């Protein structure tokens, strides 16, 4: 796709466009010498960040890339991934940072699917990238960060810094449209191959404004970003909101040790932090031994899974000035759809929170009817943070948008305050003998048994039951596998139709790169379990 | 214009659209029973407000109105003006509240220019509206607020409440697009006939998010709106930001007495207030005699004209918890382009502030070149708060967007922090004998003279000078008109070429509805002053 606008139309278009690349331009206007990004010993001011983004954007166009071509990225948290993101935005290209938790074959699939034209690779990942390159037919060039000597690569290659040198500092003059895609992130789907989520400039801009409001951020805010930027939450709910208000992002390459995390928070006087519940647990485990001043933290966000009150109390002691709130969402909604409001952090700590500023949340039945408060059904969303669609998957895209709402695939009910009480993944509802059973309920019951460390409950094809409830269980170290004892435990606690028909024992579950159990893999492994012969 | 989308495309469109009418829907989802609006003894919760907006929207469509038809409003601050605004947004119509400060013939011109199909009229303005109706050829109906008995009107007429009864509570299912116009406000232009500014759903939504960020508002915020809602500042910088976060708006019909304003702030525990500098002066004059608790105010915004440090100090005493900040902008930018940041409220109190979250501000010379910091030139803007254009004025629209920026017509320079130091209106630069003279400089000098109450300086056609600098002066009560004394005062203080060629004395200046001096009227009145014969 090429874009041609006559000079008048182009000039007019530059005035009122929504472009993610304008974030750093605006921040550089207001805060040229303020630090935008810190990563270890490196840092960039807003004017340096914006200039580099312009440079790289013009260099990428200089390579011959066209409007909405894809630039693949293989990198952990580093300055270059964000420079590349802004550069693509300014140049009308699409930035596709690979999820490094995926298997190499899956990463190759993503870059094939998106016909990536250029790869930007962090130096330590260069060997892994070399393996992929032969399978990428559209690839024109590979550029790596750092100063390592180049290794032989099959196509045009060079260093990131040399590519930057080819570009120009001046603000890019390129038509970019509100609903052009700016990013392509693959969901690590629990049910199928990764799906490429195309997200627009408009959606990311809305996520930035809405996130800044949720975090009560202004230009004096400092956010600590530790989890990978190739996840939508870190990119769009943490980093982009900070760019929106000209605030500072402190990048860490990863959660190495909890001691280091506490030291980083203290050193940089971070205000906004986001970790997973288990990471907060690790922070608490070591905090007693340290002597850190953590009073700067005003907002500690955790994702997806609720935390028990006891841990919340401990976190409030650790971060005495912080609201500790759960945020939820999905890549298809850039991603924050719900966030606990401060006044709900105790009373509704078990919920997913309430709708974010630009998102509507509702509960829908299987026939497309919105349900009243209190009735469980599928969570559906509306709002301009919506993805454009799944790349190359028009059917799946259409399916997601049935009945004029985006379908989350999650089951929940909504209370009188609009707070979302999650009950299960929709696909995890097992239909057995005419009854619907939420697998999570059976899993909770199983995990109360003294021998069970983890449980995954799936429905397997069965002549009589349709789907037969089947428990797959990982035992605690030293525990003995005893199917009948486990079933007896369930019979005492669950309605008869919810009791598993069988208990299978295993050492490990198949998981996604981010650690989610892949139930579809479990299902296909055991598909024939109840089949005759 | 009619809009047809097939069912699939329509359903998809409903998911990711940007529509101003969705603000009250989202707030009603989260805060159904919270008060959205208070006006005297009346109030509406968010669910009541949203339901009424749906009702009115469907009733207006029931009258046969089509996509992007104009609904005129003649009303001061009342609940109905905001119900109508949201109803038009939901229905894909354009809401055009008339500036009641305009002359009746100008209001008639606005409704003629916009081909208004329906008029919503506040009961006390019905007599004035009746006068206009015969000149409005497209008008189909007139609906008035309150319960007064209907008077004879030339076309279909009825009460606002009866029209509401014809509508339906259900959420409207109407295609509305990001860049459809949602409002039409006429600028009370200092240089010509009122121009109709068409503003999109996208622009208003951005103004709402950006305003909520600037005011640090959340759903617990209470904003007091006293100045008229038919001004863009009250509608888009105060009310819409509150709707965006589900906060409360307290409406007052006007600034009746300063005592009443202080009582309102106290009674409603208002957090955000916005007044003109002279109104703050009046509040200060009476505050000493009262005993009001004004600690709820966290943000006191003033508009356009700076205030001296002495008054700022007094205001900080009056509102001990408030940031006192100046905001500036124009209707064409929905309207807030700049706002003083709290850290600048003293050090840069004389500036217009710095760019708001979604706006770029720059300084441009006459050839379309952006100027470096410190150099004066025209203030130009970019960002998605841009108007769609001036209604029926493609040439004026094109002229405003020259060189890829919106031209404000204001002259200023920008300092190292991006703060805007206003110097003059561009049109007020007088070109005389090859020199450019900022009229404001001459006016300031004149106002230092002991006999001068107010001064307006214009350039009048002159054979030798091109434009001759001419002072028009209102004297202080009891002062004697003495041209030579005034000129002598100027000669002592100004460069020779800046000294007026003549001083004319008058009783009153022609002014716009909002009190701005209409220099074009002064110019045309005295056009022939230097002409021979």
């Amino acid at each position: 796709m090429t874009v041609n606008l006559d000079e008048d139309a182009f000039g007019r278009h530059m005035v009122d466009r929504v472009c993610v690349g304008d974030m750093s331009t605006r921040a550089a206007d207001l805060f040229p010498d303020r630090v935008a990004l810190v990563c270890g010993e490196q840092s960039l001011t807003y004017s340096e960040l914006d200039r580099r983004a312009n440079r790289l954007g013009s260099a990428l166009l200089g390579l011959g890339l066209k409007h909405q071509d894809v630039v693949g990225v293989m990198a952990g948290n580093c300055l270059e991934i964000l420079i590349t993101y802004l550069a693509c935005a300014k140049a009308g290209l699409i930035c596709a940072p690979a999820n490094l938790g995926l298997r190499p074959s899956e990463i190759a699939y993503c870059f094939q699917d998106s016909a990536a034209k250029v790869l930007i690779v962090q130096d330590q990942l260069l060997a892994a990238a070399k393996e992929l390159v032969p399978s990428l037919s559209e690839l024109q060039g590979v550029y790596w960060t750092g100063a390592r000597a180049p290794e032989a690569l099959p196509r045009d290659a060079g260093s990131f810094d040399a590519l930057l040198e080819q570009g120009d500092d001046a603000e890019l003059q390129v038509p970019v449209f509100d609903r052009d895609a700016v990013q392509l992130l693959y969901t690590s789907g629990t049910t199928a191959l990764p799906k490429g989520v195309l997200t627009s400039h408009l959606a990311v801009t809305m996520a930035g404004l809405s996130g800044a409001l949720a975090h009560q951020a202004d230009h004096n805010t400092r956010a600590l970003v530790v989890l990978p930027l190739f996840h939508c939450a870190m990119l769009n709910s943490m980093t982009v909101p900070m760019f929106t208000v000209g605030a500072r992002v402190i990048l860490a390459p990863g959660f190495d040790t909890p001691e280091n995390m506490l030291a980083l928070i203290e050193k940089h006087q971070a205000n906004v932090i986001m970790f997973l519940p288990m990471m907060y647990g690790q922070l608490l485990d070591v905090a007693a031994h340290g002597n850190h001043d953590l009073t700067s933290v005003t907002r500690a966000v955790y994702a997806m899974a609720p935390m028990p009150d006891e841990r919340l109390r401990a976190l409030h002691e650790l971060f005495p000035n912080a609201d500790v709130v759960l945020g939820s969402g999905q890549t298809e909604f850039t991603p924050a759809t719900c966030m606990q409001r401060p006044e709900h952090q105790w009373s509704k700590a078990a919920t997913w929170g309430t709708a974010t500023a630009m998102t509507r949340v509702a509960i829908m039945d299987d026939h497309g009817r919105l349900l009243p408060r209190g009735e469980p059904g599928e969570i559906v969303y509306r709002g301009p943070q919506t993805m454009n669609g799944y790349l190359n998957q028009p059917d799946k895209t259409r399916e997601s948008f049935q009945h004029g709402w985006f379908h989350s695939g999650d089951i929940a009910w909504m209370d009188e305050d609009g707070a979302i009480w999650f009950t299960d993944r929709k696909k995890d509802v097992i239909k057995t003998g005419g009854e619907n059973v939420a697998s999570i309920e059976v899993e909770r019951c199983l995990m109360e048994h003294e021998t069970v460390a983890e449980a995954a409950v799936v429905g397997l094809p069965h002549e009589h039951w349709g789907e037969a409830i089947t428990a797959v269980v990982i035992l605690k170290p030293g525990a003995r596998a005893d199917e009948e004892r486990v079933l007896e435990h369930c019979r005492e606690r669950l309605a008869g139709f919810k009791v598993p028909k069988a208990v299978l024992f295993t050492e490990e579950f198949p998981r996604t790169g981010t650690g989610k159990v892949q139930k579809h893999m479990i299902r296909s492994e055991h598909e024939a379990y109840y089949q005759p012969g």
Side-chain angles (χ1 to χ4, degrees), chain A residues 225-249:
Chain A
V225 171
V226 174
L227 301 175
L229 281 166
F230 53 70
H231 286 322
C232 192
M234 291 301 122
L235 183 60
N236 301 127
S237 294
M238 288 287 278
T239 305
V240 164
M242 297 304 129
F243 287 172
T244 302
V245 294
R248 181 175 302 176
V249 174

Side-chain angles (χ1 to χ4, degrees), chain A residues 405-427:
Chain A
W405 292 76
F406 175 79
H407 290 253
S408 70
D410 294 314
I411 305 292
W413 56 278
M414 189 190 281
D415 71 15
E416 68 287 358
D417 292 322
I420 296 296
W421 298 80
F422 172 75
T423 58
D424 202 0
R425 287 285 306 163
K426 189 173 184 184
K427 291 277 166 58

Side-chain angles (χ1 to χ4, degrees), chain A residues 116-185:
Chain A
K117 293 288 195 301
V118 163
L119 273 192
I120 307 288
V121 182
Q122 203 175 10
D123 49 4
Q124 64 259 41
L125 297 167
L126 203 48
K130 271 180 65 178
E131 301 290 317
L132 308 182
V133 166
S135 71
L136 305 181
S137 57
E138 302 287 329
L139 196 68
Q140 296 174 12
V142 178
Y143 302 87
W144 58 85
T145 70
R148 290 212 316 192
E151 303 176 40
L153 277 160
R155 291 185 184 78
D156 285 351
S159 79
F160 183 88
D161 289 342
L163 183 59
L164 265 188
E165 286 304 308
Q166 297 172 27
D168 194 276
D169 276 0
E171 193 181 341
L172 262 79
Q173 303 292 324
V174 173
V176 176
F177 298 88
D178 305 358
R179 292 182 186 269
D180 281 350
V182 64
Q183 67 188 41
L184 174 62
L185 298 174

Side-chain angles (χ1 to χ4, degrees), chain A residues 44-244:
Chain A
L44 289 175
T45 64
Y46 267 108
S47 74
E48 290 168 340
L49 174 62
D50 191 55
R51 213 156 49 224
R52 277 172 177 67
N54 280 321
R55 275 197 171 272
L56 183 61
S58 67
L60 288 168
L61 294 178
L63 295 175
L65 269 61
K66 298 275 180 293
H67 191 70
Q68 298 284 278
D69 274 349
V70 169
V71 175
V73 179
M74 285 180 72
N77 290 352
C78 60
L79 303 182
E80 289 85 353
I81 188 173
L82 289 172
I83 295 169
T84 305
Y85 183 64
L86 291 169
C88 289
K90 286 169 182 284
L93 305 171
I94 302 172
C95 184
N99 181 335
L100 299 179
L102 295 177
R103 285 181 290 274
S105 64
E106 289 176 306
I107 294 178
Y109 165 80
C110 296
F111 290 141
Q112 289 156 5
D113 185 47
S114 62
K117 293 288 195 301
V118 163
L119 273 192
I120 307 288
V121 182
Q122 203 175 10
D123 49 4
Q124 64 259 41
L125 297 167
L126 203 48
K130 271 180 65 178
E131 301 290 317
L132 308 182
V133 166
S135 71
L136 305 181
S137 57
E138 302 287 329
L139 196 68
Q140 296 174 12
V142 178
Y143 302 87
W144 58 85
T145 70
R148 290 212 316 192
E151 303 176 40
L153 277 160
R155 291 185 184 78
D156 285 351
S159 79
F160 183 88
D161 289 342
L163 183 59
L164 265 188
E165 286 304 308
Q166 297 172 27
D168 194 276
D169 276 0
E171 193 181 341
L172 262 79
Q173 303 292 324
V174 173
V176 176
F177 298 88
D178 305 358
R179 292 182 186 269
D180 281 350
V182 64
Q183 67 188 41
L184 174 62
L185 298 174
Y186 281 79
T187 58
S188 57
T190 49
T191 55
L193 265 179
K195 294 193 291 280
V197 176
L198 281 165
T199 303
S200 69
H201 287 267
L202 181 72
V204 171
T205 301
M206 289 297 183
L209 286 159
S210 164
L213 272 174
H215 299 327
Q216 301 178 301
D218 66 18
H219 55 288
N220 293 314
T221 303
R222 292 151 182 243
L224 177 64
V225 171
V226 174
L227 301 175
L229 281 166
F230 53 70
H231 286 322
C232 192
M234 291 301 122
L235 183 60
N236 301 127
S237 294
M238 288 287 278
T239 305
V240 164
M242 297 304 129
F243 287 172
T244 302

Side-chain angles (χ1 to χ4, degrees), chain A residues 431-486:
Chain A
K431 302 193 176 198
T432 183
E435 299 280 358
N436 287 349
V437 177
S439 58
I440 197 169
E441 191 188 351
V442 185
E443 284 160 2
R444 280 197 191 121
C445 173
L446 286 161
M447 287 177 62
E448 287 167 6
H449 191 259
E450 55 187 1
T451 66
V452 174
E454 283 194 77
V457 169
V458 294
L460 297 180
H462 190 285
E463 212 170 22
H464 178 69
W465 299 105
E467 288 183 319
I469 300 181
T470 309
V472 186
V473 159
I474 300 173
L475 290 170
K476 287 182 179 164
R480 196 173 58 84
D482 185 336
E483 181 176 17
E484 189 46 39
R485 264 183 69 202
V486 172

